[in-house]
Amino acid sequence: MAALLLNYYLMPFNVSLLALVLLSMAETIGMQFGFRPSDLLKRFIPVWISNSPLFDVKFSKVLIFVFLLMNFSFAGYFLQFVYFANQQQLISPFYIILPALIIAIFFTMFMIHCLDQVIKPKLNQKNTSLLGRLATISSGSARPGFSAQARVRDEFGQLHYVQVEPEFGELEFQSQVILIRFKKSHYMAKKISESNRLFNPEL
């Protein structure tokens, strides 16, 4: 077992898997003491990455890093074993680090998309606090009788995902809207045109 863990040909992927296990253990123990390593990790994530549409998800952004470590390890093992099955020997890890990383990124993006679709958006308990605020359609398009997901920030800057529906017309993907009232399980919204002074291209 030790020989396998210290194997030169599998070393980058063993390190990645070990980092994943240690991070999971530290996170579990840290939750008991009120200090989570993921909070420290968030400080080292560049702002431009944190604000990327890829990271605009409904779950912890640290989970994306966990997915990447896991997929990188498994992709590396898979490539090494495929090469071994054909050549009866392992190849230097320097030749497969880049392909493994590309595969890991692809599967990580796929997992992010699937998980983001499964997790239900969080509605603010005080729904009226979001009324009158600007939101951006973040998934699909909405029309009367069919709602779509939109992201909106409250007065504290916290991001929320809500379901919105227009009174008439259609709200296209990435269009900006204003939340005018709450109706049962979703918000009624009105589209903001680019010529309107309320329109904010950075929202």
Side-chain angles (χ1 to χ4, degrees):
M1 188 62 162
L4 186 61
L5 291 175
L6 298 177
N7 190 301
Y8 163 76
Y9 299 98
L10 302 176
M11 185 63 69
F13 317 112
N14 289 339
V15 171
S16 178
L17 188 60
L18 180 62
L20 173 61
V21 173
L22 293 177
L23 179 61
S24 301
M25 293 176 58
E27 189 76 4
T28 303
I29 297 174
M31 290 177 63
Q32 306 299 322
F33 295 94
F35 175 76
R36 300 172 61 183
S38 59
D39 295 332
L40 184 63
L41 183 63
K42 291 176 183 177
R43 300 180 183 178
F44 296 95
I45 299 178
V47 177
W48 65 272
I49 293 181
S50 183
N51 294 334
S52 170
L54 178 62
F55 282 74
D56 190 10
V57 293
K58 293 171 282 188
F59 51 87
S60 174
K61 296 178 181 179
V62 177
L63 192 58
I64 299 176
F65 181 69
V66 171
F67 286 157
L68 187 61
L69 285 176
M70 178 179 66
N71 290 327
F72 177 70
S73 298
F74 292 159
Y77 293 143
F78 175 77
L79 292 175
Q80 280 285 28
F81 293 147
V82 166
Y83 187 85
F84 182 83
N86 285 276
Q87 303 296 328
Q88 302 304 310
Q89 63 179 3
L90 297 176
I91 190 174
S92 173
F94 293 104
Y95 292 107
I96 60 174
I97 284 180
L98 184 58
L101 184 60
I102 294 174
I103 294 174
I105 292 174
F106 173 80
F107 277 99
T108 299
M109 293 178 63
F110 175 74
M111 294 170 70
I112 291 172
H113 175 74
C114 292
L115 190 58
D116 200 45
Q117 296 297 315
V118 172
I119 296 179
K120 294 182 179 180
K122 295 180 179 179
L123 293 175
N124 196 339
Q125 294 180 349
K126 297 181 179 179
N127 294 312
T128 55
S129 66
L130 296 178
L131 294 179
R133 305 197 72 83
L134 293 179
T136 302
I137 305 297
S138 59
S139 177
S141 59
R143 58 184 185 275
F146 298 91
S147 62
Q149 180 179 281
R151 59 178 183 269
V152 56
R153 294 188 182 277
D154 58 23
E155 62 268 30
F156 303 106
Q158 184 177 359
L159 185 65
H160 299 268
Y161 288 87
V162 297
Q163 294 297 118
V164 299
E165 179 185 324
E167 293 182 317
F168 54 86
E170 184 177 0
L171 304 177
E172 301 87 0
F173 176 67
Q174 290 295 331
S175 62
Q176 289 191 16
V177 299
I178 185 169
L179 307 181
I180 55 178
R181 72 172 184 274
F182 187 74
K183 181 180 179 181
K184 295 183 179 179
S185 61
H186 60 274
Y187 286 89
M188 302 302 294
K190 183 178 181 181
K191 186 176 180 180
I192 302 296
S193 64
E194 295 187 17
S195 59
N196 193 302
R197 62 185 181 85
L198 294 176
F199 183 83
N200 182 6
E202 298 181 355
L203 186 64

